[in-house]
Amino acid sequence: MAPQRRGAPKAPEGSGAAGRRRPNSTKHVRAAREVRRKWLGTTILGACAVLAGLLLWSSRGGDDDVTEVLAHHREILPGRFIEVPCSEDYDSHRRFEGCSPRKCGRGITDTVITRDEAQRIRSIAEKGLSLGGSDGGASILDLHSGALSVGKHFVNLYRYFGDKIQTVFSEEDFQLYRDVRQKVQLTIAQAFGINASSLHLTKPTFFSRINSTQAQTAHDEYWHAHVDKVTYGSFDYTSLLYLSDYLDDFGGGRVSFFTSGSENLHRVEKVHWGTRYAITIAFTCNPDHGIADPEFM
């Protein structure tokens, strides 16, 4: 968080009170680590100077290292918001009236889309990634740019597969994608008290598939601590929509936020088994950095 004024590493969702430091307790730490969170249809939102896209538990730095659970496995949350002090980093960024956040934090909700919508949009990811996939544990599919993981590289699926794409995806797939994007956008606007029309979709916005396969390239190493605003300068609000159930479809893959560095420094735990599907949908306040929704060929 900004008050520490410690630099973040450069590296890829209600109401609620901010997390509080608790006394060091072996019992507390053990209990916190045993809690799990079911994710299908869950959206996690992050905003401000340095953004994060997801939320599971918060790791407290310092000598009295304590892990505090912020969302439990079996909870169904209509909305929870954990506010944190905004980083001073934002003072150096251009501000946009009605969009640049006046409060900073992390939100989580299970009610942005239905389970049926989550399963249907996951099928889009599955169909696209069936055309390729990384040799390592992390694969991405970007319907905007066409980027698709294939082996140790990326290809443009629209150029690489040409007309075959029309037999893989449908107009209904792209309409669902646009509908989900709009629901996430409205949720972010409500959570942060801003004007939804001032938000602009930005790049990269993409599906991800993560499993326990050993990393083959740096692109597979998703577990490093990072700050989204540092990694992707256009990001002002990041969302991550989970399309898999924790402990049903995958194990590991939890997310830690840290109190050192800029306010949404975070890392993703390695997936130990199974497969985690998700979609990262990012927004900017700067219209010059906006992108259009993808269109079916």
Side-chain angles (χ1 to χ4, degrees):
M1 287 163 53
Q4 280 81 15
R5 296 178 183 169
R6 294 167 60 185
K10 294 184 179 180
E13 289 158 273
S15 66
R20 297 182 293 273
R21 182 179 296 275
R22 296 182 178 179
N24 190 15
S25 164
T26 302
K27 181 179 180 181
H28 166 68
V29 174
R30 185 185 304 115
R33 288 173 179 168
E34 290 173 353
V35 177
R36 299 295 184 264
R37 176 79 174 92
K38 183 166 282 190
W39 288 112
L40 185 58
T42 297
T43 302
I44 306 106
L45 317 170
C48 280
V50 256
L51 304 182
L54 52 158
L55 171 65
L56 179 56
W57 45 277
S58 177
S59 179
R60 304 298 180 183
D63 296 333
D64 56 341
D65 217 16
V66 174
T67 297
E68 182 177 357
V69 176
L70 298 177
H72 293 263
H73 175 208
R74 292 178 176 83
E75 287 183 285
I76 301 298
L77 297 174
R80 175 175 292 169
F81 192 88
I82 298 87
E83 189 167 351
V84 298
C86 294
S87 169
E88 294 176 357
D89 297 351
Y90 234 128
D91 295 341
S92 63
H93 295 288
R94 180 181 174 187
R95 299 193 65 83
F96 294 84
E97 187 64 30
C99 183
S100 294
R102 296 178 178 273
K103 67 177 181 179
C104 303
R106 308 137 196 176
I108 183 167
T109 175
D110 290 294
T111 60
V112 175
I113 62 174
T114 66
R115 175 170 287 269
D116 176 67
E117 288 172 321
Q119 292 169 335
R120 286 164 54 209
I121 198 166
R122 170 174 164 165
S123 75
I124 299 174
E126 291 172 331
K127 288 187 291 187
L129 288 165
S130 71
L131 298 172
S134 169
D135 286 345
S139 301
I140 68 105
L141 167 67
D142 184 336
L143 292 180
H144 300 266
S145 69
L148 171 69
S149 300
V150 177
K152 294 182 175 64
H153 308 283
F154 297 96
V155 301
N156 184 314
L157 67 90
Y158 299 120
R159 289 201 295 264
Y160 195 81
F161 295 101
D163 292 342
K164 180 181 178 181
I165 293 300
Q166 298 183 42
T167 68
V168 176
F169 302 118
S170 67
E171 173 56 40
E172 289 73 20
D173 290 334
F174 281 72
Q175 183 59 56
L176 174 63
Y177 185 94
R178 293 189 290 269
D179 291 344
V180 170
R181 185 273 305 160
Q182 184 176 42
K183 290 182 178 183
V184 170
Q185 184 171 345
L186 292 172
T187 302
I188 290 174
Q190 182 179 19
F192 290 93
I194 60 174
N195 189 339
S197 64
S198 68
L199 289 171
H200 307 275
L201 188 67
T202 194
K203 63 181 179 181
T205 284
F206 56 94
F207 290 102
S208 57
R209 183 184 69 193
I210 298 175
N211 59 37
S212 60
T213 303
Q214 184 175 355
Q216 300 297 311
T217 71
H219 296 293
D220 297 319
E221 297 181 9
Y222 55 85
W223 52 82
H224 297 295
H226 63 279
V227 171
D228 290 2
K229 184 67 174 177
V230 175
T231 306
Y232 307 114
S234 65
F235 282 28
D236 289 312
Y237 296 88
T238 309
S239 71
L240 188 75
L241 181 63
Y242 271 69
L243 306 176
S244 301
D245 276 334
Y246 182 61
L247 292 187
D248 289 342
D249 299 317
F250 68 98
R254 299 177 299 177
V255 181
S256 305
F257 285 98
F258 302 94
T259 55
S260 61
S262 296
E263 83 268 6
N264 280 320
L265 172 66
H266 63 285
R267 65 179 293 272
V268 181
E269 182 184 42
K270 290 183 181 181
V271 169
H272 305 311
W273 58 267
T275 303
R276 191 217 74 178
Y277 284 90
I279 179 171
T280 298
I281 305 177
F283 296 91
T284 182
C285 293
N286 189 339
D288 294 339
H289 295 156
I291 60 174
D293 287 316
E295 298 287 342
F296 184 59
M297 298 174 63

